[in-house]
Amino acid sequence: MATITPQELQTKVGEHLGTSDWVLVDQEMINKFADATGDHQFIHVDEEKAKLTPFGGTIAHGFLTLSLMPLLGASTDGPKVGGVKMGVNYGCNKVRFLSPVRSGKRVRSHIKLLELEEKRPGQWQQTNEVTVEIEGEEKPALIAEWISQFFV
């Protein structure tokens, strides 16, 4: 894939930058996230009890879905800035969990560039709107304004 400069990326503010590959959210991933965070609520980890809920089975933690954004972003088919020495998460302006991700479903992201600003020479701050789609479902899992910085 060809690379672009930060200045070339700046011309794409307001545009859709790309779509990621699909990622499977299975029960093993959900269980590992529960162990890592200490959030073992039954709706996430007890498959039998979760069958009795309106979801009909276990669902991923909202924060698990949110935490997939770097993985999804890395596989996005959009333009890549060349010469990046380092990238860091800076935070989110908004995060909304719109629909649960059921165990066994696949998700992917759609990224729209909202803002790109050079904070200091070689240090760029990028704000993207990230929509995480659930395969076969109308409503997305989440929409977030994700802020990251990269250094060239």
Side-chain angles (χ1 to χ4, degrees), residues 94-114:
K94 299 177 191 175
V95 177
R96 297 292 181 265
F97 301 108
L98 303 174
S99 189
V101 178
R102 289 170 177 76
S103 178
K105 284 288 199 167
R106 296 192 319 163
V107 298
R108 68 177 176 183
S109 67
H110 302 275
I111 298 176
K112 177 181 177 181
L113 180 60
L114 298 179

PDB file of all heavy atoms in Angstrom, residues 94-114:
ATOM      1  N   LYS A  94     -16.026  11.168  22.550  1.00  0.00           N
ATOM      2  CA  LYS A  94     -17.339  10.562  22.768  1.00  0.00           C
ATOM      3  C   LYS A  94     -17.236   9.074  22.495  1.00  0.00           C
ATOM      4  O   LYS A  94     -16.550   8.656  21.574  1.00  0.00           O
ATOM      5  CB  LYS A  94     -18.367  11.132  21.789  1.00  0.00           C
ATOM      6  CG  LYS A  94     -18.616  12.601  21.885  1.00  0.00           C
ATOM      7  CD  LYS A  94     -19.596  13.008  20.799  1.00  0.00           C
ATOM      8  CE  LYS A  94     -19.685  14.510  20.687  1.00  0.00           C
ATOM      9  NZ  LYS A  94     -20.528  14.926  19.577  1.00  0.00           N
ATOM     10  N   VAL A  95     -17.959   8.315  23.305  1.00  0.00           N
ATOM     11  CA  VAL A  95     -18.102   6.883  23.048  1.00  0.00           C
ATOM     12  C   VAL A  95     -19.546   6.526  23.360  1.00  0.00           C
ATOM     13  O   VAL A  95     -20.049   6.869  24.432  1.00  0.00           O
ATOM     14  CB  VAL A  95     -17.177   6.022  23.939  1.00  0.00           C
ATOM     15  CG1 VAL A  95     -17.422   4.537  23.694  1.00  0.00           C
ATOM     16  CG2 VAL A  95     -15.720   6.360  23.715  1.00  0.00           C
ATOM     17  N   ARG A  96     -20.190   5.855  22.435  1.00  0.00           N
ATOM     18  CA  ARG A  96     -21.553   5.386  22.648  1.00  0.00           C
ATOM     19  C   ARG A  96     -21.629   3.913  22.259  1.00  0.00           C
ATOM     20  O   ARG A  96     -21.251   3.543  21.148  1.00  0.00           O
ATOM     21  CB  ARG A  96     -22.561   6.180  21.805  1.00  0.00           C
ATOM     22  CG  ARG A  96     -22.630   7.646  22.153  1.00  0.00           C
ATOM     23  CD  ARG A  96     -23.223   7.879  23.540  1.00  0.00           C
ATOM     24  NE  ARG A  96     -23.314   9.285  23.856  1.00  0.00           N
ATOM     25  CZ  ARG A  96     -22.399   9.985  24.540  1.00  0.00           C
ATOM     26  NH1 ARG A  96     -21.305   9.390  24.960  1.00  0.00           N
ATOM     27  NH2 ARG A  96     -22.581  11.257  24.805  1.00  0.00           N
ATOM     28  N   PHE A  97     -22.094   3.093  23.219  1.00  0.00           N
ATOM     29  CA  PHE A  97     -22.312   1.671  22.968  1.00  0.00           C
ATOM     30  C   PHE A  97     -23.765   1.509  22.529  1.00  0.00           C
ATOM     31  O   PHE A  97     -24.684   1.682  23.327  1.00  0.00           O
ATOM     32  CB  PHE A  97     -22.022   0.849  24.224  1.00  0.00           C
ATOM     33  CG  PHE A  97     -20.617   1.013  24.730  1.00  0.00           C
ATOM     34  CD1 PHE A  97     -20.352   1.730  25.890  1.00  0.00           C
ATOM     35  CD2 PHE A  97     -19.553   0.460  24.051  1.00  0.00           C
ATOM     36  CE1 PHE A  97     -19.056   1.883  26.359  1.00  0.00           C
ATOM     37  CE2 PHE A  97     -18.245   0.608  24.503  1.00  0.00           C
ATOM     38  CZ  PHE A  97     -18.003   1.324  25.664  1.00  0.00           C
ATOM     39  N   LEU A  98     -23.978   1.211  21.259  1.00  0.00           N
ATOM     40  CA  LEU A  98     -25.317   1.226  20.682  1.00  0.00           C
ATOM     41  C   LEU A  98     -25.988  -0.141  20.616  1.00  0.00           C
ATOM     42  O   LEU A  98     -27.210  -0.232  20.655  1.00  0.00           O
ATOM     43  CB  LEU A  98     -25.264   1.848  19.285  1.00  0.00           C
ATOM     44  CG  LEU A  98     -24.687   3.267  19.255  1.00  0.00           C
ATOM     45  CD1 LEU A  98     -24.533   3.735  17.824  1.00  0.00           C
ATOM     46  CD2 LEU A  98     -25.559   4.221  20.046  1.00  0.00           C
ATOM     47  N   SER A  99     -25.182  -1.182  20.469  1.00  0.00           N
ATOM     48  CA  SER A  99     -25.753  -2.518  20.335  1.00  0.00           C
ATOM     49  C   SER A  99     -24.744  -3.536  20.856  1.00  0.00           C
ATOM     50  O   SER A  99     -23.547  -3.406  20.605  1.00  0.00           O
ATOM     51  CB  SER A  99     -26.072  -2.784  18.860  1.00  0.00           C
ATOM     52  OG  SER A  99     -26.798  -3.959  18.701  1.00  0.00           O
ATOM     53  N   PRO A 100     -25.207  -4.567  21.584  1.00  0.00           N
ATOM     54  CA  PRO A 100     -24.267  -5.555  22.116  1.00  0.00           C
ATOM     55  C   PRO A 100     -23.703  -6.454  21.017  1.00  0.00           C
ATOM     56  O   PRO A 100     -24.379  -6.758  20.035  1.00  0.00           O
ATOM     57  CB  PRO A 100     -25.124  -6.367  23.091  1.00  0.00           C
ATOM     58  CG  PRO A 100     -26.515  -6.231  22.573  1.00  0.00           C
ATOM     59  CD  PRO A 100     -26.594  -4.862  21.955  1.00  0.00           C
ATOM     60  N   VAL A 101     -22.468  -6.874  21.221  1.00  0.00           N
ATOM     61  CA  VAL A 101     -21.826  -7.831  20.318  1.00  0.00           C
ATOM     62  C   VAL A 101     -21.978  -9.214  20.944  1.00  0.00           C
ATOM     63  O   VAL A 101     -21.406  -9.491  21.995  1.00  0.00           O
ATOM     64  CB  VAL A 101     -20.332  -7.491  20.100  1.00  0.00           C
ATOM     65  CG1 VAL A 101     -19.680  -8.544  19.202  1.00  0.00           C
ATOM     66  CG2 VAL A 101     -20.173  -6.097  19.516  1.00  0.00           C
ATOM     67  N   ARG A 102     -22.761 -10.050  20.309  1.00  0.00           N
ATOM     68  CA  ARG A 102     -22.973 -11.401  20.818  1.00  0.00           C
ATOM     69  C   ARG A 102     -21.742 -12.268  20.533  1.00  0.00           C
ATOM     70  O   ARG A 102     -21.088 -12.116  19.498  1.00  0.00           O
ATOM     71  CB  ARG A 102     -24.212 -12.017  20.167  1.00  0.00           C
ATOM     72  CG  ARG A 102     -25.511 -11.381  20.641  1.00  0.00           C
ATOM     73  CD  ARG A 102     -26.708 -11.831  19.803  1.00  0.00           C
ATOM     74  NE  ARG A 102     -27.950 -11.283  20.307  1.00  0.00           N
ATOM     75  CZ  ARG A 102     -28.352 -10.015  20.136  1.00  0.00           C
ATOM     76  NH1 ARG A 102     -27.603  -9.153  19.481  1.00  0.00           N
ATOM     77  NH2 ARG A 102     -29.513  -9.610  20.625  1.00  0.00           N
ATOM     78  N   SER A 103     -21.466 -13.156  21.445  1.00  0.00           N
ATOM     79  CA  SER A 103     -20.355 -14.088  21.256  1.00  0.00           C
ATOM     80  C   SER A 103     -20.528 -14.828  19.935  1.00  0.00           C
ATOM     81  O   SER A 103     -21.626 -15.281  19.603  1.00  0.00           O
ATOM     82  CB  SER A 103     -20.318 -15.083  22.414  1.00  0.00           C
ATOM     83  OG  SER A 103     -19.281 -16.016  22.228  1.00  0.00           O
ATOM     84  N   GLY A 104     -19.453 -14.917  19.168  1.00  0.00           N
ATOM     85  CA  GLY A 104     -19.481 -15.595  17.878  1.00  0.00           C
ATOM     86  C   GLY A 104     -19.715 -14.664  16.696  1.00  0.00           C
ATOM     87  O   GLY A 104     -19.662 -15.106  15.548  1.00  0.00           O
ATOM     88  N   LYS A 105     -19.961 -13.391  16.968  1.00  0.00           N
ATOM     89  CA  LYS A 105     -20.180 -12.416  15.891  1.00  0.00           C
ATOM     90  C   LYS A 105     -18.844 -11.813  15.452  1.00  0.00           C
ATOM     91  O   LYS A 105     -17.870 -11.778  16.201  1.00  0.00           O
ATOM     92  CB  LYS A 105     -21.101 -11.285  16.359  1.00  0.00           C
ATOM     93  CG  LYS A 105     -22.548 -11.661  16.444  1.00  0.00           C
ATOM     94  CD  LYS A 105     -23.132 -11.811  15.063  1.00  0.00           C
ATOM     95  CE  LYS A 105     -24.639 -11.726  15.071  1.00  0.00           C
ATOM     96  NZ  LYS A 105     -25.192 -11.564  13.736  1.00  0.00           N
ATOM     97  N   ARG A 106     -18.838 -11.302  14.222  1.00  0.00           N
ATOM     98  CA  ARG A 106     -17.661 -10.592  13.711  1.00  0.00           C
ATOM     99  C   ARG A 106     -17.970  -9.097  13.671  1.00  0.00           C
ATOM    100  O   ARG A 106     -19.113  -8.694  13.429  1.00  0.00           O
ATOM    101  CB  ARG A 106     -17.295 -11.081  12.312  1.00  0.00           C
ATOM    102  CG  ARG A 106     -16.868 -12.532  12.285  1.00  0.00           C
ATOM    103  CD  ARG A 106     -16.239 -12.989  10.991  1.00  0.00           C
ATOM    104  NE  ARG A 106     -16.874 -12.490   9.786  1.00  0.00           N
ATOM    105  CZ  ARG A 106     -16.298 -12.497   8.583  1.00  0.00           C
ATOM    106  NH1 ARG A 106     -15.079 -12.981   8.432  1.00  0.00           N
ATOM    107  NH2 ARG A 106     -16.940 -12.045   7.528  1.00  0.00           N
ATOM    108  N   VAL A 107     -16.921  -8.311  13.901  1.00  0.00           N
ATOM    109  CA  VAL A 107     -17.035  -6.856  13.852  1.00  0.00           C
ATOM    110  C   VAL A 107     -15.957  -6.299  12.929  1.00  0.00           C
ATOM    111  O   VAL A 107     -14.931  -6.942  12.684  1.00  0.00           O
ATOM    112  CB  VAL A 107     -16.907  -6.209  15.258  1.00  0.00           C
ATOM    113  CG1 VAL A 107     -18.025  -6.671  16.177  1.00  0.00           C
ATOM    114  CG2 VAL A 107     -15.538  -6.492  15.883  1.00  0.00           C
ATOM    115  N   ARG A 108     -16.218  -5.111  12.408  1.00  0.00           N
ATOM    116  CA  ARG A 108     -15.211  -4.368  11.654  1.00  0.00           C
ATOM    117  C   ARG A 108     -15.476  -2.890  11.866  1.00  0.00           C
ATOM    118  O   ARG A 108     -16.562  -2.492  12.289  1.00  0.00           O
ATOM    119  CB  ARG A 108     -15.216  -4.731  10.171  1.00  0.00           C
ATOM    120  CG  ARG A 108     -16.442  -4.283   9.417  1.00  0.00           C
ATOM    121  CD  ARG A 108     -16.318  -4.624   7.942  1.00  0.00           C
ATOM    122  NE  ARG A 108     -17.544  -4.274   7.229  1.00  0.00           N
ATOM    123  CZ  ARG A 108     -17.747  -4.508   5.947  1.00  0.00           C
ATOM    124  NH1 ARG A 108     -16.803  -5.098   5.228  1.00  0.00           N
ATOM    125  NH2 ARG A 108     -18.876  -4.168   5.366  1.00  0.00           N
ATOM    126  N   SER A 109     -14.472  -2.077  11.546  1.00  0.00           N
ATOM    127  CA  SER A 109     -14.629  -0.635  11.760  1.00  0.00           C
ATOM    128  C   SER A 109     -14.637   0.124  10.447  1.00  0.00           C
ATOM    129  O   SER A 109     -14.056  -0.299   9.444  1.00  0.00           O
ATOM    130  CB  SER A 109     -13.519  -0.098  12.670  1.00  0.00           C
ATOM    131  OG  SER A 109     -12.268  -0.179  12.028  1.00  0.00           O
ATOM    132  N   HIS A 110     -15.314   1.253  10.510  1.00  0.00           N
ATOM    133  CA  HIS A 110     -15.325   2.235   9.428  1.00  0.00           C
ATOM    134  C   HIS A 110     -14.781   3.513  10.039  1.00  0.00           C
ATOM    135  O   HIS A 110     -15.246   3.944  11.103  1.00  0.00           O
ATOM    136  CB  HIS A 110     -16.744   2.457   8.903  1.00  0.00           C
ATOM    137  CG  HIS A 110     -17.387   1.208   8.398  1.00  0.00           C
ATOM    138  ND1 HIS A 110     -17.199   0.748   7.117  1.00  0.00           N
ATOM    139  CD2 HIS A 110     -18.196   0.301   9.009  1.00  0.00           C
ATOM    140  CE1 HIS A 110     -17.875  -0.370   6.961  1.00  0.00           C
ATOM    141  NE2 HIS A 110     -18.480  -0.664   8.095  1.00  0.00           N
ATOM    142  N   ILE A 111     -13.798   4.116   9.365  1.00  0.00           N
ATOM    143  CA  ILE A 111     -13.107   5.264   9.943  1.00  0.00           C
ATOM    144  C   ILE A 111     -13.298   6.494   9.070  1.00  0.00           C
ATOM    145  O   ILE A 111     -13.080   6.450   7.855  1.00  0.00           O
ATOM    146  CB  ILE A 111     -11.606   4.958  10.125  1.00  0.00           C
ATOM    147  CG1 ILE A 111     -11.457   3.790  11.104  1.00  0.00           C
ATOM    148  CG2 ILE A 111     -10.858   6.185  10.602  1.00  0.00           C
ATOM    149  CD1 ILE A 111     -10.062   3.311  11.321  1.00  0.00           C
ATOM    150  N   LYS A 112     -13.687   7.582   9.732  1.00  0.00           N
ATOM    151  CA  LYS A 112     -13.836   8.885   9.076  1.00  0.00           C
ATOM    152  C   LYS A 112     -12.914   9.865   9.786  1.00  0.00           C
ATOM    153  O   LYS A 112     -12.932   9.976  11.014  1.00  0.00           O
ATOM    154  CB  LYS A 112     -15.290   9.361   9.181  1.00  0.00           C
ATOM    155  CG  LYS A 112     -15.536  10.727   8.586  1.00  0.00           C
ATOM    156  CD  LYS A 112     -17.004  11.114   8.758  1.00  0.00           C
ATOM    157  CE  LYS A 112     -17.277  12.505   8.241  1.00  0.00           C
ATOM    158  NZ  LYS A 112     -18.698  12.878   8.444  1.00  0.00           N
ATOM    159  N   LEU A 113     -12.106  10.577   9.026  1.00  0.00           N
ATOM    160  CA  LEU A 113     -11.183  11.560   9.589  1.00  0.00           C
ATOM    161  C   LEU A 113     -11.942  12.846   9.918  1.00  0.00           C
ATOM    162  O   LEU A 113     -12.517  13.477   9.030  1.00  0.00           O
ATOM    163  CB  LEU A 113     -10.049  11.857   8.598  1.00  0.00           C
ATOM    164  CG  LEU A 113      -9.004  12.875   9.038  1.00  0.00           C
ATOM    165  CD1 LEU A 113      -8.290  12.424  10.305  1.00  0.00           C
ATOM    166  CD2 LEU A 113      -7.995  13.121   7.916  1.00  0.00           C
ATOM    167  N   LEU A 114     -11.937  13.204  11.195  1.00  0.00           N
ATOM    168  CA  LEU A 114     -12.625  14.423  11.623  1.00  0.00           C
ATOM    169  C   LEU A 114     -11.687  15.621  11.716  1.00  0.00           C
ATOM    170  O   LEU A 114     -12.083  16.748  11.424  1.00  0.00           O
ATOM    171  CB  LEU A 114     -13.303  14.214  12.985  1.00  0.00           C
ATOM    172  CG  LEU A 114     -14.389  13.151  13.047  1.00  0.00           C
ATOM    173  CD1 LEU A 114     -14.940  13.041  14.465  1.00  0.00           C
ATOM    174  CD2 LEU A 114     -15.506  13.471  12.063  1.00  0.00           C
TER     175      LEU A 114
END
